[in-house]
Amino acid sequence: MTATDTTDTTLRTVTLNVNGQTLHQQVEPRTLLAYALRDAGLKGTHVGCDTSSCGCCVVLLDGDTPAKSCTMFAVQAEGHQITTVEGLGGPGNLHPLQQAFWDQHGLQCGYCTPGMLMTAKAMLEHNPDPTDQEVREFLSGNLCRCTGYNNIVKAVQQAARVMRDEAQAQALAGMVPGTDPSTGTAGGGAQ
Amino acid sequence: MFPAAFDYIRAHSAEEALAALAQHGAEARILAGGQSLIPAMRLRLARPAVLVDLGGVKDLGYLREEGGDLRVGAMTRDVTLERDANVRARYSLLTDTGAVIADPVVRCLGTVVGSLCHGDPSGDWGAAALASRAVMVARSASGERLIPIDEFLVDSFQTSLEEGELAVEVRFPTPDGRTHGSYQKIERKVGDYATAAAAVQITLGDDGRVTHAGVALTAAGPRPVRVDAAEKLLLGQLLTEDVIRAASEEARIVSDPFADTRGSVEYKKDMARVLVARGLRASAARLGTGVTA
Amino acid sequence: MSIETDATNNAGPQTLTMGKGMKRKEDPRFLTGNGNYVDDMRLPGMLYMAIVHSPYPHANIKGIDKAAALAVPGVKAVITGEDLVAASLAWLPTFHGFDKQMVLAVGKVLFQHQEVAAVFAETREAARDAAELVDVDYEPLDPVISPFDSMKDEVILRDDREDKTNHIYHWDSGDRDGTQAALDDSEVVVTERIYAPRCHPAPLEPCGCVAQFDAMGRLHFWVTSQAPHVYRTAISLVTGIPEDKIRVISPDIGGGFGNKVPVYPGYVCAIVGALILKTPVKWIETRTENLTTTGFARDYHMDVTIGAKKDGTVTALKVKTVADHGAFDAAADPSKYPAGMFGVVTGSYQFPVAFAELDAYFTNKAPGGVAYRCSFRVTEASYAIERGMDILAQKLTMDPAELRRKNFVRKDQFPYDSALGFTYDSGDYEGTMDKALNQIGYAELRREQAEKRARGEYMGIGISTFTEVVGAGPSKHFDILGIKMFDSAEIRIHPTGTGIIRTGTKSQGQGHETTWAQIVAEELGLDPQNLLVEEGDTDTAPYGLGTYASRSTPVAGAALALAARRVREKARKVAAHLLEAAAEDIEWVDHKFQVMGAPSRSVTMKEVAFAAYTNPGEGNEPGLEASLYYDPPNMTFPHGAYIAVVDVDAETGEVKVRRFLAIDDCGTVINPMIVEGQVHGGLTEGFAIAFMQEIPYDEQGNNMAPNFMEYLIPTSVEAPVWETGSTVTPSPHHPIGAKGVGESPNVGSPAAFVNAVMDALAPLGVTHIDMPLTREKVWRAIRDAQAAAASD
């Protein structure tokens, strides 16, 4: 084969761009992205099933596409910008979604939370002002056993409000020459 | 669970993919969105020796109207149709279908063409393609051929693609202003396969009579099932409750599901009837005529 | 329920939060990917374990060939049941105390997916590859799937047991003859076989462990356990490793719901692997392993008979149950209660006489019988009586709310001795139901229903007014493996007025790090933000029985409050020294010490804490800490009134839950935000049990729900919007009056859902459909009733 990259079943190095950092990870072609990320120390991405049902493993591809990282091989992820929950915000600089899940008691055991946050982030990229029903529909690929979802919906709506306000504040700040629209807002993610 | 080992080839063009298929023959499987294949591989129900990944074939990720059809490339994700304003406005059957496949995250990676090539009789795109009379485009070293969807869907997990062929596109005829459809699905929860589902698309003439009808069922046989008798019965008719009742009864008769945890044969057959009737009513409502009294 | 949250979270040192919705202290780590679950453990040289499972439900094992598996690159060892026999580790005692369970199959397999061999390899993938290649020669046998077949003893499933019968035990409670006599004399008798289907707790984090022996030969065992101390003792008893040479660490747990109470064969295999290979071993279940081998719940076939007068006054209750325990009796009930707390089956009602009996049988199904979000078989009991009361109401054509009102234990009758021997601590059943009826607009809903019925539409209203029994339990009655079911607390206050709290329980999402701090903060006048809560490490936490059966707040919560009061007593002496007064003249008012009659002379606990280390006073013991083991004097009895409103699509059988209101009375509320969250979660699980969750087996013994494609967990689309509320009837015997709440919504809600659907179908004469109420079951009931009506 001259025109394609071929691999065999021995370990090979993939280069993954995760949360703005470049990772070189040893994988087999069959290594699922979720495990490649976890083996790289990004343990916030969880695995809860074998059938692409639970969504605990959702990460973002290229900023706005949620992907079940247990249903994708690490080798497929080369060339994509990957965001995991660690890239959303840390304990000292929570993203509005993280803050809202905390405020609204949108988590209990925490196992589904990273995937839920990433799916919610992807939704708000495309639909910044969703109805409750739209939130429920977009999150329906992410299972939660603890919360019954009510508070998750509330949390996403709180975050959506905060993010809309931030966007508006940025837009207004941008109208004034000489000011940097990237400052003066709270929260914000790594992207 | 972890898949069995395989060789991985990332193609950067359709030609590279075809070359890889030529080299590895029946051992190779195409990996598009992977949302059906990878779960099957994780459970080791599928164990391809070679995966040819179309993820790098950027020029197959298109969605455009051309030549009277909506053309959907092999790497076009379900979500692309879901979010396309033109599709939402005019392709009501496809819009309905796209909203109930798997779950929203899976739809962000899953592809329309990949789903049709997977050939799962419980997959939702098959019936929608039948009802809208779609055509597949297959490319091989010797060129392209068009395959009507009825010929493409052969059996459970089996299509008429030949060894060395790559499905590069599906074409859905563009509905005119007098055409609408509906996809009705009963699922136990989001993410489940259909217990029963029906795809319906109808065109009305100026006199309110049906000029074209597409009626097809999901999970009602070894492959998606066209309800010929219902289509024939609808042609030339006004959409009255009597006509709807008769057409939907044909769906019940032709439906040939297997019993499983989703339901008995009897229940699934009756739901084929109920859902075709609902689909016809929904289509009539979308056409602005409603059911004729 | 409106909840006051502390949105700023900048609580000052004297900002107390008891009864307020303080945001959870544990959340920032979960929200940022910094949780620490078992699968997050990575140790140098760690191997991965995979298990080989039987495809047959019943088969002899003629031989096992490991050669192909051992040839897979990276594979270090394969062990089988025969290997474990040699090490005397082939069998594991179950917590129940009546039985033992095979670790790896010896001689025969007794259920589909039973553990047959364990493989240890350098990678997860290699372990799985090798597991596929372990060649087991099975001789299939006919399986026995139904307990009604099993009870005939035509095939004896457990030839390892002395008693050659499939009957495991008989249990009964109450007055057999008196109950029968009362039923014979009753003006009305209803009877129904009600099945509580086999289901599974299925927490999102599967079970798993990491086993490591350190250089000194001490076992460090990270495991998904709801009861780490009991695990330590059990591991010591099974393996013979001295208990001091075992450290069990239960880190963050991704949900338990009863699934993570028993000790599973995989844990024993991982420990054996770490021992023989002298390197750490990790085992994380697949979802299929979780659903097919670990503790299932329910599987009770209950014949419920209620006698009553024509006016609705109940006269007697009889329940006869056949329990399917699967291949091993791996239920996790207290030793003296093989049927758990099933005796609470008289519910919220004044039955003058009652009798309950149960017979348990082996079948070729997975073992278990765990308390799935339930205090030991209370869900089954509650479902039986709440369903039974509605069947009686239907028979009498009485409003189900009025039937309940007529029979409630009245507020002034507590403490109330039930016909089956429980002493209910407190409650206000009628008040709680009335609040629910008013809040949901019951009368208006009944009017709407009448209109809809006239139009041929199916709308239903279902009520459940359940009573739970939680907080196991008083030592004279309750033990597991002989260990009394107390719990414990240790509180250590640092010189600067901060501190650390440890208990014998283990949160799996319930928010102990927050509520425990709130309890101690309230008792000591300290800032809950600076009270660190630590659980789950047996090297540091005091011995306790763990978190399940809603026992944490009733037992460990009481231990904490009393331990805090011990700290306070100690602090009082230091305060007396600081205030230059006699200790008996110091009183605790408004969260500080003051001299009796001289409020201006006061010191805070923070000041006292500093003094306890720097200036404790002559004769006072330095330092400020206390520990306490709490033996509860009684169980607690939370209760609630739930109302479901449903619409049924007669064409498809689809049920839409339009509204659901839960009024819970769990006594004193520590953190209403957390209580509401628990209620939401439990209701969602109850909804799932009512409508979609089941582990069915086909006639060949195949498990038909081995993954999340078939074992259905509701998503945000199916889950209803929950309405909640509360009444507060404190427990008289709990130090802060709390009763526990985590399981009430799961115990009380299934009956409300089913009652609502039956109410919708009542005009058709349908009285009962077994859960889960799938579309097809509802469709069939409607169709059959319509056909019967047409042929009349």
Side-chain angles (χ1 to χ4, degrees):
Chain A
M1 299 299 293
T2 52
T4 57
D5 314 320
T6 61
T7 69
D8 60 18
T9 55
T10 58
L11 291 178
R12 70 194 307 260
T13 302
V14 286
T15 302
L16 299 176
N17 185 309
V18 187
N19 304 329
Q21 311 268 313
T22 302
L23 290 180
H24 301 286
Q25 197 67 14
Q26 292 283 302
V27 298
E28 291 182 56
R30 62 170 158 169
T31 303
L32 298 162
L33 176 60
Y35 290 96
L37 293 169
R38 290 182 54 75
D39 288 346
L42 295 161
K43 60 185 188 171
T45 299
H46 298 150
V47 177
C49 73
D50 316 314
T51 48
S52 314
S53 306
C54 77
C56 295
C57 63
V58 170
V59 300
L60 298 187
L61 300 181
D62 307 316
D64 66 347
T65 299
K68 293 189 175 179
S69 64
C70 76
T71 313
M72 183 170 191
F73 298 113
V75 289
Q76 288 178 277
E78 280 194 307
H80 291 285
Q81 308 280 321
I82 299 163
T83 313
T84 68
V85 71
E86 290 89 349
L88 195 59
N93 62 323
L94 296 180
H95 183 276
L97 271 163
Q98 293 168 314
Q99 182 67 45
F101 270 62
W102 192 15
D103 291 347
Q104 299 294 340
H105 191 31
L107 67 153
Q108 290 181 28
C109 81
Y111 202 74
C112 76
T113 308
M116 202 66 83
L117 288 166
M118 301 319 283
T119 301
K121 171 89 161 38
M123 179 187 67
L124 294 180
E125 294 287 339
H126 292 274
N127 184 359
D129 192 4
T131 63
D132 283 2
Q133 187 56 30
E134 285 170 337
V135 173
R136 284 180 178 268
E137 283 171 9
F138 204 84
L139 295 182
S140 61
N142 292 71
L143 299 178
C144 172
R145 282 298 267 161
C146 297
T147 67
Y149 306 105
N150 275 28
N151 290 345
I152 288 176
V153 176
K154 279 193 214 163
V156 173
Q157 292 291 26
Q158 174 185 320
R161 275 193 304 277
V162 170
M163 290 166 72
R164 284 197 303 275
D165 289 350
E166 283 180 4
Q168 188 186 28
Q170 280 199 356
L172 290 172
M175 292 176 193
V176 181
T179 50
D180 178 356
S182 69
T183 59
T185 56
Q191 291 299 297
Chain B
M1 288 290 285
F2 312 103
F6 57 85
D7 284 351
Y8 173 80
I9 299 170
R10 176 182 283 213
H12 300 93
S13 66
E15 289 65 39
E16 284 183 12
L18 285 170
L21 289 178
Q23 187 186 351
H24 296 282
E27 292 201 318
R29 287 283 300 267
I30 293 289
L31 177 64
Q35 301 302 290
S36 298
L37 181 58
I38 295 174
M41 290 174 68
R42 289 188 72 191
L43 297 175
R44 300 201 172 189
L45 300 171
R47 329 174 60 120
V50 179
L51 278 190
V52 180
D53 182 7
L54 297 187
V57 187
K58 302 296 177 207
D59 59 4
L60 287 180
Y62 57 82
L63 176 71
R64 60 171 178 264
E65 283 184 332
E66 189 180 323
D69 293 319
L70 180 72
R71 300 188 174 194
V72 182
M75 281 307 294
T76 303
R77 318 285 183 175
D78 294 330
V79 70
T80 307
L81 276 72
E82 215 174 333
R83 290 190 180 138
D84 186 90
N86 181 42
V87 171
R88 296 182 72 85
R90 299 172 66 199
Y91 295 81
S92 43
L93 170 57
L94 303 189
T95 301
D96 278 5
T97 309
V100 294
I101 290 167
D103 67 54
V105 177
V106 168
R107 295 200 293 271
C108 285
L109 290 191
T111 63
V112 184
V113 171
S115 173
L116 289 167
C117 290
H118 190 60
D120 187 334
S122 294
D124 297 292
W125 282 121
L130 282 171
S132 56
R133 295 190 154 68
V135 173
M136 297 295 290
V137 181
R139 191 180 297 173
S140 66
S142 56
E144 283 190 353
R145 66 176 178 127
L146 302 183
I147 312 174
I149 193 68
D150 291 82
E151 292 169 30
F152 183 79
L153 302 169
V154 173
D155 206 339
S156 291
F157 304 102
Q158 193 188 335
T159 68
S160 63
L161 277 183
E162 287 168 15
E163 197 172 307
E165 266 188 329
L166 175 70
V168 292
E169 181 179 293
V170 60
R171 296 178 182 175
F172 296 100
T174 299
D176 61 24
R178 297 293 294 158
T179 301
H180 261 299
S182 171
Y183 190 72
Q184 301 277 334
K185 179 179 183 178
I186 289 180
E187 56 183 1
R188 296 176 298 178
K189 53 164 284 199
V190 171
D192 193 18
Y193 290 105
T195 301
V200 167
Q201 185 168 288
I202 51 175
T203 306
L204 297 184
D206 290 338
D207 58 357
R209 292 181 183 274
V210 175
T211 59
H212 296 278
V215 179
L217 305 174
T218 303
R223 59 176 203 150
V225 174
R226 178 184 295 288
V227 190
D228 278 314
E231 293 178 352
K232 289 200 179 81
L233 192 150
L234 287 162
L235 279 179
Q237 300 293 320
L238 294 169
L239 275 178
T240 63
E241 274 300 336
D242 283 346
V243 167
I244 289 171
R245 193 174 305 117
S248 58
E249 178 59 19
E250 296 296 343
R252 194 189 63 77
I253 292 166
V254 78
S255 169
D256 182 22
F258 51 85
D260 62 8
T261 50
R262 292 175 185 80
S264 66
V265 169
E266 188 189 14
Y267 179 70
K268 290 180 176 186
K269 283 173 77 76
D270 198 49
M271 290 308 103
R273 175 187 69 80
V274 169
L275 296 179
V276 165
R278 290 183 177 187
L280 287 168
R281 287 189 204 109
S283 302
R286 282 172 168 161
L287 284 161
T289 60
V291 176
T292 305
Chain C
M1 192 189 299
S2 140
I3 283 171
E4 185 189 339
T5 51
D6 175 11
T8 61
N9 223 44
N10 293 324
Q14 294 302 323
T15 305
L16 299 171
T17 61
M18 190 70 175
K20 294 181 188 167
M22 181 177 126
K23 280 162 43 180
R24 299 204 318 170
K25 296 172 66 183
E26 46 268 79
D27 285 357
R29 76 173 181 274
F30 294 134
L31 287 162
T32 55
N34 287 294
N36 180 34
Y37 301 90
V38 171
D39 195 20
D40 299 337
M41 283 297 304
R42 290 152 50 83
L43 297 172
M46 189 173 76
L47 300 177
Y48 295 86
M49 186 178 94
I51 293 181
V52 179
H53 296 275
S54 170
Y56 298 102
H58 196 196
N60 287 321
I61 296 177
K62 313 269 281 181
I64 300 177
D65 185 350
K66 307 175 182 175
L70 287 168
V72 172
V75 169
K76 299 296 183 190
V78 176
I79 61 170
T80 67
E82 295 301 331
D83 299 326
L84 294 178
V85 169
S88 301
L89 289 171
W91 293 84
L92 173 68
T94 65
F95 279 175
H96 214 317
F98 309 130
D99 199 15
K100 55 186 181 169
Q101 174 177 0
M102 286 184 203
V103 175
L104 294 172
V106 180
K108 68 196 278 198
V109 290
L110 291 166
F111 67 96
Q112 192 193 32
H113 297 284
Q114 187 178 339
E115 301 87 350
V116 175
V119 176
F120 304 88
E122 287 171 349
T123 66
R124 305 174 190 96
E125 290 85 358
R128 184 53 56 190
D129 289 347
E132 269 193 324
L133 294 172
V134 173
D135 187 5
V136 185
D137 184 6
Y138 296 101
E139 179 187 50
L141 303 168
D142 288 338
V144 180
I145 301 308
S146 161
F148 296 96
D149 290 333
S150 167
M151 66 172 64
K152 295 173 196 160
D153 276 342
E154 287 165 1
V155 178
I156 303 302
L157 299 179
R158 292 286 302 279
D159 44 24
D160 59 285
R161 285 167 65 95
E162 220 165 88
D163 293 340
K164 298 305 172 202
T165 172
N166 296 324
H167 184 251
I168 312 173
Y169 61 82
H170 172 85
W171 165 87
D172 63 44
S173 174
D175 179 352
R176 181 193 297 266
D177 297 338
T179 300
Q180 193 54 53
L183 287 172
D184 292 343
D185 289 345
S186 294
E187 292 169 353
V188 180
V189 175
V190 291
T191 189
E192 186 71 53
R193 171 160 296 176
I194 295 172
Y195 178 53
R198 176 177 279 238
C199 54
H200 194 283
L204 273 190
E205 178 205 30
C207 299
C209 66
V210 175
Q212 178 199 35
F213 286 89
D214 67 21
M216 305 310 293
R218 188 163 191 257
L219 171 63
H220 300 256
F221 193 57
W222 291 264
V223 63
T224 51
S225 174
Q226 297 177 226
H229 294 277
V230 184
Y231 272 41
R232 187 184 69 195
T233 303
I235 291 167
S236 178
L237 293 173
V238 171
T239 62
I241 302 171
E243 201 167 348
D244 66 300
K245 299 288 192 293
I246 302 169
R247 178 187 187 187
V248 174
I249 305 123
S250 198
D252 287 328
I253 302 295
F257 314 119
N259 183 228
K260 293 168 179 170
V261 173
V263 172
Y264 293 121
Y267 302 155
V268 178
C269 293
I271 292 169
V272 169
L275 187 67
I276 60 175
L277 295 165
K278 302 188 188 337
T279 196
V281 168
K282 176 187 276 190
W283 174 59
I284 303 296
E285 277 184 339
T286 64
R287 177 53 59 188
T288 296
E289 288 174 322
N290 180 253
L291 290 170
T292 59
T293 69
T294 64
F296 77 88
R298 327 282 192 241
D299 217 343
Y300 267 23
H301 303 261
M302 305 174 288
D303 290 332
V304 179
T305 305
I306 302 176
K309 296 181 190 168
K310 280 182 186 154
D311 70 355
T313 306
V314 295
T315 51
L317 171 70
K318 184 176 80 172
V319 184
K320 182 174 170 56
T321 299
V322 169
D324 183 344
H325 280 235
F328 307 99
D329 185 18
D333 297 305
S335 306
K336 296 193 191 76
Y337 293 84
M341 307 291 103
F342 193 80
V344 78
V345 70
T346 54
S348 308
Y349 314 106
Q350 297 187 53
F351 280 96
V353 63
F355 180 68
E357 65 179 326
L358 180 145
D359 289 278
Y361 297 92
F362 292 120
T363 57
N364 288 123
K365 296 185 195 164
V370 300
Y372 167 19
R373 204 166 185 149
C374 156
S375 178
F376 308 118
R377 305 296 189 179
V378 174
T379 309
E380 291 91 324
S382 173
Y383 178 59
I385 186 61
E386 289 303 315
R387 200 64 276 287
M389 290 300 276
D390 260 44
I391 291 169
L392 177 62
Q394 198 173 346
K395 175 94 172 178
L396 293 165
T397 58
M398 251 183 108
D399 183 296
E402 292 317 305
L403 178 70
R404 285 170 167 81
R405 186 187 306 285
K406 194 166 199 71
N407 291 291
F408 276 144
V409 176
R410 293 189 318 274
K411 194 177 176 178
D412 59 8
Q413 288 178 295
F414 293 95
Y416 176 80
D417 292 327
S418 78
L420 293 181
F422 285 109
T423 301
Y424 293 12
D425 59 349
S426 63
D428 180 7
Y429 301 151
E430 188 167 15
T432 304
M433 185 177 77
D434 280 337
K435 181 165 183 179
L437 295 174
N438 289 332
Q439 195 164 323
I440 203 153
Y442 185 68
E444 180 51 39
L445 286 168
R446 285 289 176 205
R447 270 193 292 279
E448 182 191 345
Q449 182 186 42
E451 288 167 22
K452 290 211 154 130
R453 281 186 176 166
R455 292 201 298 269
E457 293 171 33
Y458 298 98
M459 168 189 167
I461 305 157
I463 301 175
S464 169
T465 51
F466 64 95
T467 290
E468 228 207 332
V469 48
V470 307
S475 61
K476 64 175 182 277
H477 301 304
F478 291 92
D479 71 87
I480 282 182
L481 287 177
I483 303 163
K484 302 297 186 184
M485 294 187 73
F486 56 82
D487 224 291
S488 58
E490 281 181 13
I491 301 168
R492 186 180 303 166
I493 303 302
H494 306 320
T496 50
T498 67
I500 184 165
I501 297 164
R502 293 184 172 112
T503 64
T505 48
K506 175 61 210 171
S507 183
Q508 311 124 41
Q510 294 92 335
H512 291 180
E513 289 172 51
T514 305
T515 45
W516 286 176
Q518 286 180 271
I519 291 173
V520 174
E522 174 71 19
E523 295 290 337
L524 297 182
L526 293 171
D527 184 347
Q529 297 300 336
N530 293 117
L531 293 169
L532 178 71
V533 174
E534 197 183 84
E535 300 177 308
D537 183 340
T538 58
D539 271 10
T540 55
Y543 203 106
L545 275 278
T547 294
Y548 44 86
S550 283
R551 65 186 300 283
S552 294
T553 295
V555 191
L560 267 172
L562 294 179
R565 289 172 197 176
R566 264 187 198 170
V567 168
R568 209 162 68 199
E569 283 317 300
K570 196 168 173 189
R572 181 192 304 276
K573 294 177 186 162
V574 179
H577 163 67
L578 293 179
L579 293 168
E580 297 176 331
E584 52 273 21
D585 292 337
I586 300 296
E587 58 183 357
W588 177 252
V589 179
D590 292 340
H591 301 101
K592 57 184 191 296
F593 291 111
Q594 66 182 41
V595 178
M596 228 175 274
S600 61
R601 290 174 62 201
S602 68
V603 283
T604 64
M605 185 63 78
K606 189 171 176 179
E607 290 164 326
V608 171
F610 195 71
Y613 291 87
T614 58
N615 176 23
E618 190 76 22
N620 287 337
E621 183 188 3
L624 197 54
E625 62 181 87
S627 66
L628 187 135
Y629 282 60
Y630 180 75
D631 180 4
N634 188 7
M635 307 290 279
T636 60
F637 295 78
H639 64 96
Y642 292 176
I643 303 179
V645 185
V646 303
D647 297 295
V648 178
D649 179 336
E651 263 193 323
T652 63
E654 183 178 7
V655 178
K656 280 262 187 245
V657 177
R658 190 203 308 175
R659 290 182 69 188
F660 193 100
L661 170 65
I663 305 292
D664 273 286
D665 192 326
C666 60
T668 303
V669 171
I670 300 157
N671 185 325
M673 177 192 83
I674 286 178
V675 167
E676 189 192 43
Q678 290 289 307
V679 171
H680 285 173
L683 293 177
T684 306
E685 293 190 25
F687 167 80
I689 289 163
F691 292 108
M692 58 178 79
Q693 275 181 6
E694 189 182 9
I695 304 269
Y697 283 77
D698 70 10
E699 287 174 6
Q700 288 76 46
N702 295 303
N703 184 318
M704 300 303 283
N707 53 48
F708 278 165
M709 296 299 291
E710 292 296 339
Y711 191 68
L712 305 177
I713 309 291
T715 75
S716 44
V717 165
E718 293 82 35
V721 173
W722 305 114
E723 303 169 45
T724 60
S726 63
T727 56
V728 176
T729 312
S731 170
H733 64 76
H734 187 280
I736 60 172
K739 290 186 170 184
V741 75
E743 299 167 340
S744 293
N746 192 45
V747 166
S749 66
F753 292 115
V754 178
N755 287 347
V757 178
M758 295 309 113
D759 183 54
L761 304 185
L764 294 165
V766 177
T767 51
H768 180 69
I769 306 174
D770 277 326
M771 298 188 293
L773 298 183
T774 62
R775 289 177 178 82
E776 177 164 358
K777 283 189 196 169
V778 174
W779 169 84
R780 196 170 287 283
I782 294 170
R783 196 201 51 168
D784 291 353
Q786 286 172 341
S791 70
D792 280 348

